[in-house]
Amino acid sequence: MKGEGDDGMAYLVLDQLTKRFGNWTAVDHASLTVEKGELISLLGPSGCGKTTTLQMIAGFLDADGGRVTLDGKDLLAKKPNERGLGIVFQSYALFPHMTAAENVAFGLEMRKINRADRERMVADALKLVGLEQYGDRHPRRMSGGQQQRVALARALVIKPSLLLLDEPLSNLDAKMREEMQIELRRIQRTVGTTMILVTHDQSEAMALSDRVVVMNKGRIQQVATPQDAYDRPANAFVANFLGRTNLLPGMVGAGAGGGTVITVADSVWPVAQEVPAGPGALAVRPEKIGFVDAGGLSGTVLARVFQGTQWLFEIETAAGRLMVIRQHDGSPLPAERERVMVGWRPQDMAVMPADPDTASGVREAA
Ligand SMILES: Nc1ncnc2c1ncn2[C@@H]1O[C@H](COP(=O)(O)OP(=O)(O)OP(=O)(O)O)[C@@H](O)[C@H]1O
Ligand SMILES: [Mg+2]
């Protein structure tokens, strides 16, 4: 199991890291443990504090509180250039008058590595990113994706103890971005460098990361594997941010036969998680919902839309509207205006306390 609380494996530790700009708290007591060799993504909407977090780790911004240790050593006490980190930003920031190979060699020259070693290391780094034929090219004669590979090679060639990537693929077109995602994952597997990737693209974070860190308004909302964050979101924000979900308001309390249950309109569901009694919300993904004969939530089909491989249903219930996706596999499905009952397996839902930010405690499905 990867996760917090396993201090023996802790490589990078953020402890209550905080940054304020005037009276705005951009990063609010962020705590996180990253294992050696892990690729972790900071994910969240614009302005949630991702870049600020990365810049404090890199040393480009001073923290207002908290600690960062790397391999047991206090990182914040060191100057940026003494931290031994590799950094790749959204803009490639290559030196335009230097070739790809010269760009990659730059950090090695600064470190006074001798010429023979340097040439070998540059060749290895260019090969790693698939640019062994491009050493003599200048950046202006390379595509965006190629330039970003050079930036990656330049960051990796110094064998950084930690690689920080801030939206490295966001300037690329969709196809190139997808290729580079696969490439980045392959490189990370090959060299085993610990990486922190900042992105606001949830599918990119899910595809690449060992774990995702979902942030909102400077606060870490959840740290989990992509699957766990998707299947068991910690709160309504995470449920809404990671893909399409249904959030239904309900009441958490003791069940008739013992155990905790959540009551949603005319249906009652067993709750496996620790959730306080009182107003709560139930999150369930559209593709996890099916039509059942009994023991579910009753409603009416408002709309059904054919989408090729699947059908999309909108169901009106006493707990609100919900979205249901069923595969187009020939099995009989209800018609519009039909009375139906919908259900799901208890393990496919997540229960959370009501969201204090919204009046009803839940948000509309995306
Ligand atoms: N130098 C600064 N002075 C004042 N406020 C700042 C400064 N830098 C960032 N902020 C504010 O801090 C918050 C977090 O900014 P940050 O750049 O970390 O967000 P982000 O999550 O990286 O967003 P994006 O996805 O848009 O890059 C924002 O509200 C931003 O306006
Ligand atoms: Mg940013």
Side-chain angles (χ1 to χ4, degrees):
M1 262 309 278
K2 302 193 171 214
E4 305 98 293
D6 194 356
D7 288 341
M9 303 286 279
Y11 182 59
L12 176 74
V13 179
L14 310 192
D15 181 19
Q16 307 278 322
L17 192 61
T18 298
K19 180 71 194 177
R20 293 183 198 93
F21 293 111
N23 54 13
W24 172 255
T25 307
V27 177
D28 197 355
H29 296 86
S31 295
L32 173 69
T33 298
V34 182
E35 281 177 35
K36 192 162 189 160
E38 205 176 6
L39 197 168
I40 203 156
S41 290
L42 304 186
L43 177 65
S46 185
C48 73
K50 306 180 294 294
T51 295
T52 304
T53 303
L54 219 59
Q55 301 257 338
M56 285 190 282
I57 297 171
F60 301 142
L61 273 177
D62 289 330
D64 290 315
R67 281 165 51 83
V68 179
T69 58
L70 182 63
D71 213 6
K73 294 176 200 78
D74 182 5
L75 203 61
L76 299 186
K78 295 184 181 174
K79 294 198 185 94
N81 61 351
E82 290 167 356
R83 297 187 185 193
L85 310 182
I87 300 165
V88 178
F89 292 118
Q90 180 173 353
S91 58
Y92 329 116
L94 299 176
F95 300 112
H97 58 286
M98 292 184 190
T99 64
E102 287 165 352
N103 266 282
V104 176
F106 184 75
L108 298 175
E109 280 168 37
M110 301 297 286
R111 283 172 172 72
K112 311 249 185 297
I113 309 263
N114 72 55
R115 185 172 172 166
D117 285 343
R118 215 161 64 208
E119 283 178 359
R120 183 179 46 77
M121 290 167 82
V122 169
D124 286 351
L126 286 173
K127 184 155 188 281
L128 182 67
V129 300
L131 288 181
E132 56 268 60
Q133 310 296 334
Y134 290 81
D136 294 334
R137 284 259 182 121
H138 281 83
R140 65 174 177 280
R141 292 180 50 232
M142 303 180 104
S143 73
Q146 289 167 339
Q147 290 182 54
Q148 199 56 305
R149 281 167 203 253
V150 176
L152 200 55
R154 186 177 58 178
L156 284 168
V157 77
I158 62 159
K159 308 248 183 299
S161 45
L162 179 67
L163 181 61
L164 305 175
L165 303 141
D166 194 349
E167 309 258 6
L169 311 182
S170 63
N171 276 347
L172 308 178
D173 64 43
K175 188 167 166 289
M176 181 70 84
R177 191 158 64 228
E178 239 168 63
E179 279 175 29
M180 281 296 288
Q181 285 172 357
I182 295 166
E183 193 67 8
L184 195 59
R185 189 70 192 147
R186 181 189 63 75
I187 291 168
Q188 201 263 343
R189 290 257 161 82
T190 310
V191 294
T193 306
T194 312
M195 297 189 186
I196 302 185
L197 170 72
V198 161
T199 177
H200 60 253
D201 178 341
Q202 49 118 348
S203 64
E204 182 169 295
M206 305 266 246
L208 286 174
S209 317
D210 294 309
R211 289 187 300 155
V212 293
V213 178
V214 184
M215 295 182 70
N216 186 32
K217 296 180 186 157
R219 297 216 177 122
I220 293 180
Q221 305 291 311
Q222 187 168 13
V223 183
T225 64
Q227 297 85 340
D228 276 353
Y230 186 85
D231 289 339
R232 280 176 290 283
N235 56 41
F237 177 82
V238 177
N240 269 314
F241 193 75
L242 296 180
R244 196 184 251 183
T245 199
N246 293 291
L247 278 167
L248 304 168
M251 191 56 77
V252 179
T260 306
V261 296
I262 182 166
T263 304
V264 175
D266 62 343
S267 65
V268 180
W269 307 89
V271 178
Q273 298 134 275
E274 297 265 325
V275 188
L282 185 159
V284 57
R285 303 283 175 189
E287 70 274 14
K288 304 284 192 189
I289 305 177
F291 296 101
V292 297
D293 295 327
L297 174 64
S298 45
T300 306
V301 177
L302 276 183
R304 73 171 218 182
V305 180
F306 183 53
Q307 297 183 319
T309 60
Q310 62 188 29
W311 290 88
L312 176 67
F313 288 84
E314 202 182 354
I315 313 286
E316 179 86 65
T317 77
R321 280 184 195 181
L322 61 142
M323 208 98 82
V324 176
I325 289 171
R326 300 308 302 163
Q327 288 308 303
H328 175 56
D329 57 8
S331 45
L333 291 166
E336 288 184 354
R337 288 186 296 281
E338 203 171 305
R339 289 287 297 167
V340 292
M341 188 169 271
V342 290
W344 49 86
R345 302 184 308 173
Q347 63 263 42
D348 289 333
M349 67 184 209
V351 175
M352 56 200 69
D355 184 349
D357 289 352
T358 52
S360 67
V362 296
R363 292 156 209 222
E364 289 286 297

